[in-house]
Amino acid sequence: MGHNINRAAMASKDSRLARLTKICLALPEAARRDSGSHAAFLVRGKSIFAYFLNDHHGDGIVSVACKALPGDNTALAVAQPARFYLPAYIGPRGWVALRLDGGEVDWDEVAELVVGSYRLIAPKRLLTLIGKS
């Protein structure tokens, strides 16, 4: 149990998680739920639109996972395997993960993925509250 507390404490101090949180919580009715060294970002406390994954199932990777349009997840993972991959369990359900541990992170790209995922998950009424960019 102490091990999980230490991992959660380390994750809460991770600057990548802090930056991702700022992007996600700028979206309408978004919330963050922590679970060990991971975090889920939800719309209205129900539907998850992004995950911060830190050593997900022991893979040693730090990433952001987002829902993608059908086929886009696989296309990104195939085209840029050093940056994108299909995360365990959720990858086959249309999710893609972008590594945050491979050098300098393009935070505009992260924001684009997060907003795209939010648009796929959030109720239509909330979509009118975010920019069209």
Side-chain angles (χ1 to χ4, degrees):
M1 182 150 139
H3 178 68
N4 287 341
I5 292 170
N6 291 340
R7 289 180 63 165
M10 287 184 345
S12 70
K13 295 177 184 173
D14 191 310
S15 62
R16 297 166 294 195
L17 175 56
R19 192 99 182 248
L20 179 62
T21 298
K22 185 175 180 181
I23 292 167
C24 292
L25 297 187
L27 296 166
E29 298 187 37
R32 176 176 142 183
R33 181 175 61 206
D34 294 337
S35 177
S37 60
H38 309 303
F41 296 92
L42 305 91
V43 179
R44 292 186 171 163
K46 295 187 266 188
S47 302
I48 297 171
F49 65 92
Y51 289 100
F52 174 79
L53 302 176
N54 187 345
D55 195 27
H56 188 234
H57 293 285
D59 65 10
I61 298 171
V62 177
S63 64
V64 56
C66 298
K67 183 81 170 166
L69 289 169
D72 282 1
N73 62 333
T74 303
L76 285 167
V78 169
Q80 299 180 61
R83 298 179 61 230
F84 292 95
Y85 69 98
L86 301 181
Y89 303 105
I90 59 175
R93 292 186 283 157
W95 289 71
V96 66
L98 171 62
R99 293 187 71 140
L100 301 176
D101 59 0
E104 190 164 335
V105 176
D106 180 345
W107 289 102
D108 289 335
E109 181 178 39
V110 171
E112 184 180 324
L113 285 169
V114 166
V115 171
S117 183
Y118 182 90
R119 289 182 183 281
L120 293 172
I121 302 293
K124 288 182 179 164
R125 185 187 69 73
L126 293 181
L127 298 182
T128 64
L129 301 176
I130 58 176
K132 301 292 183 192
S133 59

